[in-house]
Amino acid sequence: MRVTQSMLSTNMLRNLTTSYTKMGKLNDQLTTGKKVNRPSDDPVVAMRGLAYRMQTDKVEQYQRNIGEVNNWLDSTDDALDKVGEALKRARELVGSAANGTMTEEDRDKVKAELSQLREQIQDIANTKVGDKYLFSGTKTGTPLYKDGAYPQLSTDAENPASGPTAFESDVNIDVFDGVKLNVNSTSAKMFKDIDDMFESFVGSDADFNKGLTDVDNQMDALLTERASVGARMNRVELMDNRLEAQEGIAKKQQSLNEDIDYEKVITEMISQESVHRAALSVGARIIQPSLVDFLR
């Protein structure tokens, strides 16, 4: 086959273009620190990168959900702690009123303070996190204590229901794939029982001796509820640690898939520059002056 000057020139220009393309790709990698800057660079790496990014974004969303869970549980525990303080004071007052030496006037003063404690606990029953009521079950937009009364519950002996009402239902938040955590305290019955107990103290036939046992029973119910909240807080901490580990794994895999080895790429860049300079030098020798150049 006859090799012409035109063929030599065309091949040289094509090789130079290929060399420029390689150097351009290496320069993009050094500038961005990524192996792939467009899907066409390496479709497999690009697809894996999308999968790792989706995993990382999912973990970050779950971590935000964990923050919401902590907000609910911390607020619930604080509210229940305030209920406990009110019940402790109520026990002191009931114990004083149970003393047979107390005058009727003094008992009226005790009842007045017990009424204030009752109102305090009613306010706590309507504690909110943001715009959501903590103790209203799935009816987060409705206060538990409303219009001077608590709602009818499935546990009410006078009004039994086929199943839990919305005020007794769990609020769950996703914290991992297929994992939900109960964030609310279904304490509607407890608040209602406490309110009924306080109501029994303000009547003229109040039995303060029995009241001591009633307060102790309500404090036991409160401690049980707080223990449940504490157990869930411990689980949230474990789940948070798990998410941190998952985030680290996902980001590590993403880095291994996408990030360049700077030393390796710099070495390739230097080698490609040497090849390119050699190609330019050889090309200068290939493109010899033509007869037309001598005739000028």
Side-chain angles (χ1 to χ4, degrees):
M1 182 181 69
R2 179 172 175 269
V3 179
T4 66
Q5 181 71 24
S6 176
M7 292 174 62
L8 289 174
S9 299
T10 301
N11 288 337
M12 183 204 69
L13 291 174
R14 183 172 63 252
N15 292 333
L16 287 177
T17 300
T18 301
S19 180
Y20 275 123
T21 301
K22 291 181 179 179
M23 285 197 300
K25 183 177 180 179
L26 291 170
N27 182 64
D28 288 343
Q29 290 180 352
L30 288 172
T31 302
T32 62
K34 301 295 183 182
K35 297 176 185 177
V36 174
N37 292 289
R38 57 186 65 85
S40 59
D41 291 342
D42 193 327
V44 175
V45 171
M47 290 299 296
R48 287 177 179 171
L50 287 174
Y52 291 136
R53 278 189 173 82
M54 289 177 61
Q55 178 66 19
T56 302
D57 291 343
K58 187 190 299 183
V59 169
E60 290 176 351
Q61 179 59 56
Y62 286 144
Q63 287 177 322
R64 287 191 289 271
N65 290 356
I66 284 287
E68 180 70 9
V69 172
N70 279 323
N71 193 19
W72 273 77
L73 293 179
D74 288 344
S75 299
T76 299
D77 186 60
D78 179 68
L80 294 178
D81 179 62
K82 298 300 186 292
V83 174
E85 292 178 1
L87 288 178
K88 287 179 183 177
R89 178 55 182 164
R91 195 184 191 288
E92 293 175 1
L93 293 171
V94 171
S96 299
N99 189 337
T101 60
M102 180 173 283
T103 65
E104 196 62 34
E105 183 180 353
D106 290 336
R107 288 196 178 194
D108 289 339
K109 294 178 181 177
V110 167
K111 290 179 181 180
E113 185 172 350
L114 287 171
S115 295
Q116 292 300 312
L117 291 175
R118 180 187 184 186
E119 292 180 14
Q120 170 70 7
I121 294 177
Q122 289 170 352
D123 291 337
I124 295 173
N126 290 339
T127 301
K128 298 174 72 174
V129 171
D131 59 347
K132 298 178 180 178
Y133 289 95
L134 281 179
F135 301 109
S136 295
T138 53
K139 292 181 71 68
T140 55
T142 304
L144 181 62
Y145 184 78
K146 183 180 180 182
D147 299 329
Y150 287 93
Q152 291 292 328
L153 305 175
S154 63
T155 50
D156 291 343
E158 67 277 9
N159 186 33
S162 58
T165 65
F167 287 100
E168 301 165 279
S169 299
D170 292 336
V171 175
N172 298 309
I173 293 179
D174 291 321
V175 294
F176 204 68
D177 292 337
V179 179
K180 297 177 181 287
L181 284 183
N182 169 222
V183 299
N184 70 319
S185 176
T186 52
S187 305
K189 183 178 185 304
M190 182 192 74
F191 278 106
K192 195 170 184 179
D193 289 345
I194 291 175
D195 196 69
D196 291 341
M197 177 190 71
F198 274 101
E199 186 175 8
S200 69
F201 293 153
V202 298
S204 58
D205 57 345
D207 185 351
F208 288 106
N209 289 312
K210 178 179 177 298
L212 285 173
T213 302
D214 293 339
V215 174
D216 288 340
N217 290 337
Q218 295 305 322
M219 292 182 72
D220 288 342
L222 177 66
L223 289 175
T224 299
E225 193 61 43
R226 291 196 68 183
S228 174
V229 173
R232 280 178 281 158
M233 292 174 74
N234 289 336
R235 187 181 176 192
V236 169
E237 184 177 354
L238 293 174
M239 185 57 67
D240 192 25
N241 294 336
R242 182 181 178 187
L243 287 173
E244 288 183 3
Q246 289 292 321
E247 181 185 25
I249 292 171
K251 288 185 175 180
K252 179 181 178 181
Q253 292 299 321
Q254 182 179 335
S255 177
L256 291 173
N257 180 67
E258 297 180 0
D259 295 345
I260 64 171
D261 182 344
Y262 276 95
E263 291 80 2
K264 181 180 178 181
V265 176
I266 289 173
T267 301
E268 290 180 2
M269 186 67 172
I270 293 173
S271 299
Q272 188 59 43
E273 285 179 347
S274 299
V275 171
H276 185 71
R277 291 179 183 277
L280 289 174
S281 178
V282 171
R285 295 177 181 275
I286 289 176
I287 304 177
Q288 297 295 332
S290 67
L291 180 59
V292 177
D293 294 316
F294 287 105
L295 294 176
R296 287 178 179 175

